[in-house]
Amino acid sequence: MMATKLLLIELTKLKRSQALLMTFLCPLSIVGLQFLMVLERGGRVVAEKGWISYWYGVTNLWYMLMLPLFVALITTLINATEHRSNGWRFMATMPVKRWQLFVVKAFISWLCIGFAVALMYLFASASILCLILIGYEATTPFSAPFVFDLPKVMLSIVPIVVIGHIVSWLFSSIVLPLVIGITMTVIAVTVANSTYWLYDPWTYHLAVTLFSYDDSSNLASIWGGVFGLTLLSVGATILNKRDIVD
Amino acid sequence: MNVIEFNQVSKSFQYHKVLSDVTFSVAQNSVFGFLGNNGAGKSTVIKLMLGMLNPSHGEIRLFNQPVKQVLPAGFVNIGCIVDTPVLYENLTASEFLSFSQRLKNLPRKEIERVLEVVDLSAYKKQSISGYSLGMKQRLAIANTLLGSPKLLILDEPTNGLDPQGMQDMRELLKYLPERAGCTVFVSSHLLSEIERIASHIAVIHGGEIVKQDSLDNLKGTSGELRISCLALSKANVVLSNANFHCSSDQDGDLLVSKVTREECAQVHHLLSKNKVDFWQSSFCQQSLENVFMKVSHQKAAS
């Protein structure tokens, strides 16, 4: 009951917030970029390689570049609301346990990310519809890979959401969590194709989608879920006992 | 019954000790003023009281129970402002107040009630980012009043308020104990404000409680009597012979120190009896500011 109330409160905090704005803008920017590239080329690529190439263009940009950056950004923005407004002190005077707040905030970040991924697919589909309406044609039928991998993607990103959440909870500066996010995104692109991908949580969503092979998709999602929830429990236990000094 | 009790509480951050053996108690239905210079440890005491910090040593009790047992569930009965008002500027006043209202299981109409109390009803749908500092402070106060709390803990509650707002706040705090059975713990730099509302006072200096008592006991019953007269030297001799401590000030007035209200009448009688004419006499009791400055200087000197 208390968790539901806390969840509603945290959702209220998203109203008119930068976090909510970015949840719309980030997927829109990726789809918009791909849309403009196709427009600029005059539909030649679509005619030759089909809508699948357009879809891959959007999802490649999203999963390799934007998603890990967006995770860093959203966890930072959601916690920055508290850092900016002395919110930690305010929430510490509410009848809720600190670990509940920690878990609910992580869950809100995770929900925003899920919403952004769903929006990305929606915007990509809408942009294809727009292209068809303005006369672009492809010889192959439309297909949309990765859409049904969304539940696995959401499990695989749990560790990086929790890591981003812990870092941005601990540090009021927005720079550090973003630098960590950018650095790990660059490293992940290199590691994802190697046999060491399991050691880097920033590659798990790639193992589910773009770099999927054999059982890597299942392994990344299951391991991501287990590792992520373990991190969440450890983080909640440690932060529950910490002093609130700022 | 004591609502707040600190028993030999110490707090260190790494190797820096910020509080040392702090002991005080706040009785139920009292207004307790907590005074100290910047960095004296006021905010640390409040954070310890609210469970935001863990004490290095000692025991803190709220409502006769250890603070860790009472909180966070006990926040249902506690309203607090810690330092600057905490507000989410992207929200409206109603949305902000709905946080406490929901978590404390209060009816929705409570929001309307407290907005009326702080005179913000007309602005409840407006974004907090457009509020002045005084309006934000009033909104923070409204948040503390939700659900008629049994204990109010306020750190600098009059910050940013205009004179009218300060007077309203003063009236509200002064009569809360008798009207709502609420105990008020208030920390402030504004000694004159505290002097008007508090029944008990504690002074903290360098992380130690250096004085605590009722306001009346702290200020004492004696004061200074200022007499304006022409025959200054004669008045001085008459009163000195009667064992009063006399001196004169720059304006040529006679100052009789350490006198009670009863002794003032005796002074007037002596002057009249000895035909010393005076056209003005005023009694001035020791102010809280004097007490605070004296206690702080004594502690600094020691």
Side-chain angles (χ1 to χ4, degrees):
Chain A
M1 191 67 181
M2 190 55 87
T4 314
K5 285 178 186 171
L6 198 52
L7 190 64
L8 285 173
I9 285 167
E10 290 302 321
L11 285 172
T12 308
K13 285 181 193 172
L14 285 179
K15 278 188 184 177
R16 299 176 284 276
S17 70
Q18 288 177 333
L20 193 61
L21 182 69
M22 296 315 286
T23 304
F24 281 92
L25 282 185
C26 287
L28 189 64
S29 65
I30 292 296
V31 174
L33 187 67
Q34 183 69 3
F35 183 78
L36 290 175
M37 277 163 57
V38 169
L39 275 186
E40 199 256 337
R41 288 177 192 173
R44 190 167 34 84
V45 179
V46 173
E48 285 170 7
K49 298 180 180 172
W51 291 116
I52 191 79
S53 68
Y54 182 85
W55 192 264
Y56 269 122
V58 173
T59 48
N60 272 353
L61 274 174
W62 177 259
Y63 283 117
M64 287 182 79
L65 183 72
M66 187 52 91
L67 181 64
L69 293 179
F70 181 67
V71 169
L73 184 68
I74 206 76
T75 50
T76 303
L77 288 177
I78 282 176
N79 285 301
T81 312
E82 308 298 341
H83 290 302
R84 258 201 312 267
S85 323
N86 282 334
W88 299 125
R89 285 187 202 163
F90 174 71
M91 292 309 292
T93 62
M94 291 286 117
V96 289
K97 293 186 172 75
R98 228 173 284 172
W99 68 264
Q100 289 176 322
L101 181 65
F102 176 78
V103 172
V104 167
K105 274 196 168 294
F107 183 64
I108 291 284
S109 300
W110 186 77
L111 275 186
C112 284
I113 294 158
F115 189 55
V117 179
L119 274 180
M120 182 272 293
Y121 285 135
L122 189 73
F123 290 152
S125 306
S127 67
I128 288 173
L129 193 65
C130 282
L131 288 170
I132 291 170
L133 286 175
I134 58 175
Y136 282 56
E137 286 178 359
T139 48
T140 52
F142 171 69
S143 66
F146 312 132
V147 170
F148 296 105
D149 290 329
L150 184 57
K152 284 185 181 176
V153 168
M154 291 312 293
L155 269 179
S156 70
I157 59 162
V158 174
I160 60 171
V161 173
V162 176
I163 292 168
H165 181 52
I166 292 173
V167 173
S168 50
W169 177 292
L170 291 176
F171 300 96
S172 56
S173 161
I174 61 165
V175 178
L176 183 68
L178 291 179
V179 166
I180 291 174
I182 293 166
T183 311
M184 295 314 290
T185 303
V186 174
I187 294 170
V189 175
T190 318
V191 179
N193 238 345
S194 74
T195 51
Y196 301 108
W197 66 270
L198 201 58
Y199 299 105
D200 182 357
W202 275 263
T203 63
Y204 294 176
H205 64 281
L206 294 174
V208 170
T209 53
L210 306 176
F211 294 88
S212 176
Y213 67 93
D214 299 335
D215 270 348
S216 72
S217 176
N218 288 334
L219 183 61
S221 56
I222 293 167
W223 176 237
V226 171
F227 180 45
L229 291 176
T230 309
L231 266 179
L232 189 71
S233 311
V234 173
T237 309
I238 294 170
L239 291 172
N240 200 39
K241 292 174 186 165
R242 271 174 67 98
D243 285 345
I244 298 176
V245 285
D246 65 346
Chain B
M1 187 187 101
N2 288 327
V3 175
I4 304 171
E5 277 179 81
F6 268 58
N7 295 320
Q8 296 194 305
V9 174
S10 299
K11 176 68 184 172
S12 301
F13 292 110
Q14 291 176 330
Y15 301 108
H16 179 54
K17 197 169 192 177
V18 289
L19 289 185
S20 184
D21 290 334
V22 169
T23 301
F24 67 89
S25 57
V26 179
Q28 195 173 21
N29 290 354
S30 63
V31 178
F32 190 93
F34 195 55
L35 310 176
N37 291 320
N38 286 339
K42 296 193 299 292
S43 292
T44 307
V45 165
I46 291 176
K47 285 180 184 173
L48 284 162
M49 205 181 281
L50 298 173
M52 292 183 194
L53 301 177
N54 298 306
S56 309
H57 181 260
E59 189 193 27
I60 303 164
R61 295 172 77 86
L62 291 179
F63 303 107
N64 265 344
Q65 285 178 29
V67 73
K68 287 283 168 198
Q69 280 179 30
V70 178
L71 303 177
F75 278 122
V76 170
N77 293 317
I78 301 172
C80 19
I81 297 178
V82 188
D83 275 352
T84 46
V86 174
L87 305 162
Y88 300 89
E89 300 218 332
N90 52 322
L91 303 180
T92 64
S94 296
E95 287 166 346
F96 171 69
L97 292 174
S98 74
F99 296 175
S100 297
Q101 174 255 323
R102 278 187 185 145
L103 291 173
K104 294 182 178 181
N105 279 325
L106 301 170
R108 184 83 189 164
K109 62 182 180 188
E110 262 295 289
I111 293 178
E112 306 297 326
R113 183 187 71 82
V114 293
L115 282 172
E116 283 284 329
V117 172
V118 298
D119 203 17
L120 280 179
S121 296
Y123 308 94
K124 66 180 177 185
K125 300 282 181 202
Q126 194 180 313
S127 171
I128 296 171
S129 58
Y131 279 25
S132 67
L133 181 61
M135 288 165 81
K136 287 177 184 173
Q137 189 72 19
R138 271 150 56 199
L139 182 57
I141 292 161
N143 185 60
T144 65
L145 298 175
L146 276 168
S148 307
K150 295 279 168 247
L151 172 62
L152 277 188
I153 297 170
L154 307 170
D155 194 3
E156 303 289 351
T158 50
N159 256 2
L161 295 183
D162 55 24
Q164 182 62 49
M166 283 168 86
Q167 191 185 334
D168 293 346
M169 180 74 186
R170 201 160 54 224
E171 293 298 312
L172 182 75
L173 294 182
K174 192 168 183 176
Y175 299 110
L176 264 177
E178 59 184 75
R179 285 181 192 163
C182 177
T183 306
V184 181
F185 179 96
V186 56
S187 146
S188 178
H189 288 109
L190 299 175
L191 302 179
S192 58
E193 287 299 316
I194 294 282
E195 190 170 3
R196 291 187 198 185
I197 58 171
S199 53
H200 290 77
I201 302 283
V203 180
I204 186 166
H205 186 95
E208 290 176 40
I209 299 287
V210 288
K211 199 90 177 175
Q212 60 173 315
D213 211 330
S214 69
L215 183 65
D216 291 338
N217 284 349
L218 275 179
K219 287 168 71 175
T221 50
S222 65
E224 192 176 64
L225 182 66
R226 177 185 293 268
I227 298 166
S228 304
C229 62
L230 280 176
L232 194 65
S233 50
K234 187 178 177 188
N236 200 342
V237 172
V238 168
L239 295 175
S240 298
N241 288 342
N243 289 329
F244 286 106
H245 301 276
C246 298
S247 60
S248 57
D249 70 359
Q250 292 169 338
D251 299 331
D253 290 338
L254 184 72
L255 299 176
V256 189
S257 54
K258 295 177 187 170
V259 285
T260 62
R261 286 181 190 277
E262 292 72 30
E263 286 170 331
C264 289
Q266 200 184 336
V267 168
H268 292 157
H269 178 71
L270 272 172
L271 292 177
S272 301
K273 192 179 158 189
N274 290 283
K275 294 190 170 49
V276 179
D277 294 330
F278 60 95
W279 64 87
Q280 193 176 318
S281 167
S282 57
F283 177 71
C284 183
Q285 204 176 11
Q286 191 169 211
S287 69
L288 185 59
E289 188 173 344
N290 296 139
V291 175
F292 177 77
M293 297 307 287
K294 202 158 90 181
V295 166
S296 296
H297 285 145
Q298 276 172 358
K299 181 64 191 170
S302 68

